[in-house]
Amino acid sequence: MSVDYKAYFAEHRETHLNELKEWLSIPSISALSEHKGDVAKAAEWLAGKLREAGLEHVEVHQTAGHPIITADHLHAEGKPTLLVYGHYDVQPVDPLHLWETPPFEPDIRNGKLYARGATDDKGQLFLHVKAVEAILKQEKELPVNIKFCIEGEEEVSSPNLPLYLDNHKDKLAADAIVISDTSLLAPGKPAISTGLRGLCSLELSLETANTDLHSGTYGGGVPNALHALVSLLSSLHDEQGRVAVKGFYDGVLELSPEMREEFAKQEFDEEKLKRDLGLDSLYGEEGFSFVERVGARPTLELNGVYGGFQGEGSKTVIPKEAHAKITCRLVANQDPQAVLDAIEAHLHAHTPVGSKLTFKPKEKAFAFNIDPSHPMLQKAADAFENVYGTRALFTKDGGSIPIVEKLSSTLNGPAVMMGYGLPDENLHAPNEHFNLENFDKGLLTAVEYLKLV
């Protein structure tokens, strides 16, 4: 049966957009306890739309935090099973005064839908619901088996989904996990992410004397905590931009020639980036391009360094303590705990005389990585090409979405990251929006992928 889905979605476009606006108007901010009721309301709204779409066994599972929603349609005997993952929670909206229109009063301007959650992730997730609905309404059956697992805590690091996954492996088992929570490279240039960096973080403090001291009376005769910290932090990198911690690169999966070719195809303009950022030069590990450094290489970054007097004017003090916050972005197959252990050993070995080190490990998350030659990813690239007219490039993203690695490893299936957003859509920032060109093409691509699999 041949169905003109382009005509179908054009006919139902206004209805679909009005439905999405209704969902976007619910302030499902998972990080703020005052919005707990709104998060629950957004979950129930989605559950209702899944039922209307023709999904079965739609359930809203209560957790220690916010609900998880599951649904399925499993009548395509002998066909693959896809699990669609997404999240319905959104980021806080501050600073509110920078929004051109209220964040929970969706507004369409210049072909873009503005609202908190428009691109991250309600808008992108909504495409999958409507793609399934369209096929069931037009053809009465799906070409594949499909499951949904949608959470309300991705923006707060998914504290309850890992346990749910561990306890429901059979229920959620699938041949591939489809995720739309990333972006195209640029308008008209689709991308499929084959890697997300993991992370680990830490805080460290150095203490010297038991009190701040007068720099005239004691200067030059006692250790200065700030001097000691600056010296210690400078030991973390070498002159070539590499992390100088012994063991830091253990397990790092080197870039294949094929993956480096995919990076080169992006034709990233480093000169334009320098101009845009007002920089004279870029920085990083020698031997790698900017996109390789930020997508496929590990990093160690200082996020905050503080200590001593920071008020107006001067105060001639020798500070007794100084502090730093550090975050590492990791790649496959680094172990976050092993990296933390290596950094701690390095810091202790290089702590200046007269200083005492306190080391506090914080977050830990594994990187996600997948071979782009996997058939499920190749078919996703085909789906993009059939709709966008250009084949998707395989990329690696510098950010971290820890739940992706957990989904893939727990369910033992490839994660197919088919994003429909754009890099400049202000996710997590004021005036978040979703380009409606990708709303329209995303619907068609989602349908196309279900048919190709």
Side-chain angles (χ1 to χ4, degrees):
M1 178 181 180
S2 178
V3 177
D4 186 348
Y5 282 98
K6 189 172 184 179
Y8 171 87
F9 286 123
E11 178 185 349
H12 293 84
R13 189 174 194 259
E14 184 175 356
T15 298
H16 291 165
L17 284 174
N18 285 335
E19 289 180 3
L20 178 54
K21 285 181 179 180
E22 184 179 318
W23 196 24
L24 291 169
S25 70
I26 304 172
S28 50
I29 305 171
S30 55
L32 302 178
S33 59
E34 65 199 77
H35 287 285
K36 186 175 179 64
D38 294 315
V39 179
K41 182 179 178 182
E44 292 294 345
W45 187 97
L46 177 58
K49 290 302 174 185
L50 289 168
R51 294 186 185 98
E52 289 178 17
L55 275 298
E56 301 171 343
H57 309 115
V58 180
E59 297 178 83
V60 178
H61 307 272
Q62 301 303 320
T63 72
H66 300 301
I68 294 168
I69 302 162
T70 58
D72 61 44
H73 194 280
L74 307 174
H75 301 287
E77 187 175 352
K79 299 293 185 179
T81 299
L82 301 181
L83 173 71
V84 175
Y85 162 81
H87 66 92
Y88 62 88
D89 63 320
V90 301
Q91 281 277 320
V93 297
D94 303 290
L96 190 59
H97 71 278
L98 294 181
W99 287 80
E100 293 182 23
T101 51
F104 297 109
E105 295 180 18
D107 185 53
I108 294 177
R109 305 191 299 274
N110 302 316
K112 303 173 183 178
L113 174 58
Y114 286 81
R116 175 58 90 224
T119 190
D120 182 24
D121 180 42
K122 288 178 179 176
Q124 296 199 55
L125 173 59
F126 186 75
L127 300 177
H128 292 285
V129 180
K130 290 301 158 182
V132 169
E133 179 182 77
I135 296 174
L136 285 174
K137 283 190 173 181
Q138 296 300 295
E139 305 186 44
K140 311 306 178 187
E141 62 182 9
L142 295 177
V144 296
N145 299 295
I146 197 143
K147 300 176 181 179
F148 281 79
C149 180
I150 314 300
E151 67 162 322
E153 297 183 322
E154 192 275 341
E155 300 292 6
V156 290
S157 302
S158 307
N160 291 292
L161 184 55
L163 179 61
Y164 184 85
L165 293 174
D166 289 336
N167 291 336
H168 297 85
K169 293 179 185 178
D170 293 340
K171 176 176 180 167
L172 299 176
D175 296 292
I177 303 133
V178 181
I179 303 170
S180 295
D181 197 11
T182 50
S183 67
L184 285 72
L185 285 171
K189 296 181 68 173
I192 297 170
S193 177
T194 65
L196 295 165
R197 290 195 290 190
L199 62 86
C200 63
S201 65
L202 62 105
E203 295 179 8
L204 66 94
S205 300
L206 284 185
E207 295 186 13
T208 50
N210 58 10
T211 184
D212 287 353
L213 296 168
H214 189 286
S215 67
T217 305
Y218 294 93
V222 298
N224 181 314
L226 276 175
H227 291 184
L229 180 64
V230 170
S231 173
L232 180 58
L233 296 179
S234 70
S235 74
L236 291 170
H237 292 86
D238 65 19
E239 295 298 319
Q240 289 72 47
R242 284 178 60 88
V243 178
V245 173
K246 183 180 179 181
F248 181 84
Y249 291 94
D250 289 355
V252 170
L253 192 65
E254 297 298 328
L255 278 171
S256 67
E258 293 78 14
M259 198 66 233
R260 298 198 85 161
E261 184 178 346
E262 287 291 309
F263 277 119
K265 288 178 183 176
Q266 295 184 29
E267 299 178 342
F268 186 85
D269 190 341
E270 295 190 4
E271 292 302 317
K272 181 180 184 299
L273 177 65
K274 286 192 287 186
R275 291 193 301 272
D276 290 346
L277 298 180
L279 292 170
D280 294 326
S281 65
L282 299 178
Y283 169 83
E285 189 180 0
E286 285 187 1
F288 297 92
S289 67
F290 174 80
V291 290
E292 290 171 341
R293 289 170 180 166
V294 301
R297 298 296 294 171
T299 64
L300 186 156
E301 297 287 353
L302 307 181
N303 307 127
V305 178
Y306 53 100
F309 178 68
Q310 298 173 56
E312 185 178 356
S314 64
K315 181 181 181 184
T316 54
V317 64
I318 297 175
K320 74 180 186 71
E321 60 184 55
H323 313 273
K325 294 177 182 288
I326 296 175
T327 299
C328 299
R329 296 289 178 169
L330 309 178
V331 299
N333 294 313
Q334 286 178 293
D335 182 327
Q337 185 58 56
V339 171
L340 285 171
D341 292 343
I343 295 172
E344 183 175 14
H346 175 97
L347 292 172
H348 279 294
H350 290 79
T351 298
V353 174
S355 304
K356 297 181 289 292
L357 172 72
T358 301
F359 181 95
K360 295 181 179 179
K362 296 290 185 179
E363 304 160 286
K364 290 185 295 183
F366 283 91
F368 164 74
N369 184 69
I370 187 170
D371 186 340
S373 67
H374 194 289
M376 287 294 189
L377 274 71
Q378 290 295 320
K379 290 175 182 177
D382 292 339
F384 272 120
E385 185 172 15
N386 292 347
V387 174
Y388 282 81
T390 183
R391 190 169 178 80
L393 291 179
F394 295 102
T395 65
K396 291 186 182 297
D397 293 339
S400 304
I401 310 177
I403 198 61
V404 174
E405 190 279 333
K406 177 64 177 177
L407 280 161
S408 183
S409 61
T410 301
L411 302 180
N412 195 29
V416 184
M417 303 193 69
M418 303 176 67
Y420 301 102
L422 284 172
D424 63 355
E425 288 180 335
N426 287 18
L427 64 166
H428 293 205
N431 302 309
E432 179 182 346
H433 57 276
F434 191 21
N435 281 261
L436 294 185
E437 175 187 6
N438 293 320
F439 176 86
D440 297 330
K441 290 183 177 179
L443 288 164
L444 295 172
T445 306
V447 169
E448 188 73 8
Y449 186 56
L450 294 180
K451 289 181 168 291
L452 287 177
V453 170

